[in-house]
Amino acid sequence: MQSTGTGTTRGLGLLAIVALAWVVVGGLVATPRDVVQGESVRIMYVHVPTAWVAYLAFVVTAVASAGFLRGRSRSLGFDRVAGASAEVGVLFMGLTLVTGSLWGRLTWGEFWQWDPRLTTTAFLFVTYVGYLAVRGLDGAPEQRARRAAVVALLAVLEIPLVHFSVVLWRSLHQRASVLDPGGDVRMDGLMLFTLFVGVVAFTALYAWLVLHRSRVAALAELAGRGELARAVAARRAEAGA
Amino acid sequence: MSAAAPVALAVMDDAGFVIGSYAVTAVALLALVVATLRRARRLAPLVRDEDKPWT
């Protein structure tokens, strides 16, 4: 019996495990403390990659939704990828908010401020929770997929607003940490490497999760169809008897 | 800080917040991984291998 694993998912899983191990060792032990932020900078090695993956997940949801709406066959495969990516993205966005609030407590003395970046990020999170709720509404599979695809294409427009909120409004949140406005890297080499490995690790884990979860959704659909076919056959046999 | 405290807590300022952020992330992601694999293993026997497009 074949489950949802393949060579690709096993490779992604292995990459994620190795890279995550480095994030823990590098983030908590090997990298130096920051001259300005002190030890709280270590939260950045999980906070920044989770935010990146959440953005990526929501963009993939939008691209897959566009693929569903554009395709002549209206393949539900696109819809399954869109749904799986949004589910994973919501978790990563939630983690971004939690790790960010822990960092905020150390840096600003508060877990939460109604700051432009924090508020728009929370709004993005709530929007995608709403998207998942829309996916759960009743209707034929194609109808539900079409409805969700339209919501996904509208929701993704919030991402530039979140990302540029620190530039558009006066924000407590720091601007870009890695590159200065001139495009020069302004981080210690080991810190930059650990941050990069964190982005690779969380991206690999995201891809692993989306592949497995979209296949699980396909299994659920196929199993449901099988049950329906068996029920219809049983009723026919009953009527014929 | 007590002598029984873990090394990281003893040498790092604000270790509770820093390690807490790693722990929350690890637990949440591990929970999603486990839930996904359990659901996959529960559903896989209900579908024939030739109907699974990834096989």
Side-chain angles (χ1 to χ4, degrees):
Chain A
M1 174 201 63
Q2 174 82 32
S3 188
T4 50
T6 54
T8 307
T9 56
R10 279 187 277 278
L12 283 168
L14 190 65
L15 173 65
I17 289 169
V18 171
L20 285 170
W22 173 258
V23 173
V24 173
V25 174
L28 292 178
V29 183
T31 52
R33 51 184 282 146
D34 186 67
V35 284
V36 178
Q37 297 186 38
E39 302 289 2
S40 71
V41 75
R42 300 184 189 284
I43 296 175
M44 175 190 71
Y45 304 119
V46 287
H47 176 69
V48 173
T50 54
W52 147 255
V53 169
Y55 286 172
L56 172 70
F58 297 151
V59 169
V60 168
T61 295
V63 170
S65 299
F68 171 78
L69 290 175
R70 274 182 64 90
R72 280 190 190 162
S73 60
R74 292 277 162 99
S75 165
L76 285 175
F78 281 119
D79 176 63
R80 286 193 288 267
V81 170
S85 188
E87 287 168 352
V88 178
V90 164
L91 179 70
F92 275 95
M93 190 93 276
L95 288 171
T96 304
L97 288 167
V98 171
T99 55
S101 71
L102 290 169
W103 179 86
R105 176 68 180 78
L106 294 177
T107 309
W108 306 327
E110 299 269 11
F111 284 109
W112 184 261
Q113 283 284 327
W114 291 104
D115 161 89
R117 170 60 71 81
L118 275 65
T119 307
T120 51
T121 303
F123 189 62
L124 185 66
F125 174 75
V126 172
T127 300
Y128 276 90
V129 171
Y131 166 81
L132 294 179
V134 167
R135 290 187 65 83
L137 293 176
D138 282 341
E142 288 76 15
Q143 184 192 17
R144 285 190 303 173
R146 194 168 55 246
R147 196 191 289 147
V150 172
V151 174
L153 289 175
L154 291 173
V156 77
L157 299 176
E158 283 179 40
I159 291 179
L161 191 70
V162 176
H163 189 70
F164 293 109
S165 59
V166 289
V167 182
L168 293 171
W169 297 289
R170 280 193 303 176
S171 176
L172 274 173
H173 196 282
Q174 69 200 70
R175 293 187 176 195
S177 302
V178 178
L179 298 174
D180 67 14
D184 294 325
V185 176
R186 54 181 187 187
M187 276 181 90
D188 167 80
L190 191 58
M191 294 166 94
L192 186 63
F193 176 72
T194 303
L195 184 60
F196 174 72
V197 173
V199 169
V200 171
F202 284 97
T203 305
L205 182 58
Y206 156 77
W208 185 94
L209 280 165
V210 169
L211 281 172
H212 275 285
R213 291 186 73 79
S214 55
R215 289 169 185 174
V216 164
L219 283 179
E221 202 180 297
L222 288 165
R225 268 191 233 155
E227 273 177 29
L228 185 67
R230 277 190 293 276
V232 169
R235 287 299 296 271
R236 281 194 181 138
E238 223 175 81
Chain B
M1 188 160 295
S2 76
V7 175
L9 286 173
V11 299
M12 192 193 294
D13 297 333
D14 306 311
F17 287 90
V18 175
I19 295 171
S21 67
Y22 282 66
V24 167
T25 305
V27 168
L29 292 175
L30 196 61
L32 186 64
V33 166
V34 170
T36 303
L37 288 178
R38 286 181 69 171
R39 186 143 192 252
R41 288 191 182 147
R42 189 166 53 78
L43 288 168
L46 305 177
V47 178
R48 293 179 307 171
D49 280 353
E50 52 268 33
D51 291 336
K52 300 168 185 165
W54 55 92
T55 57

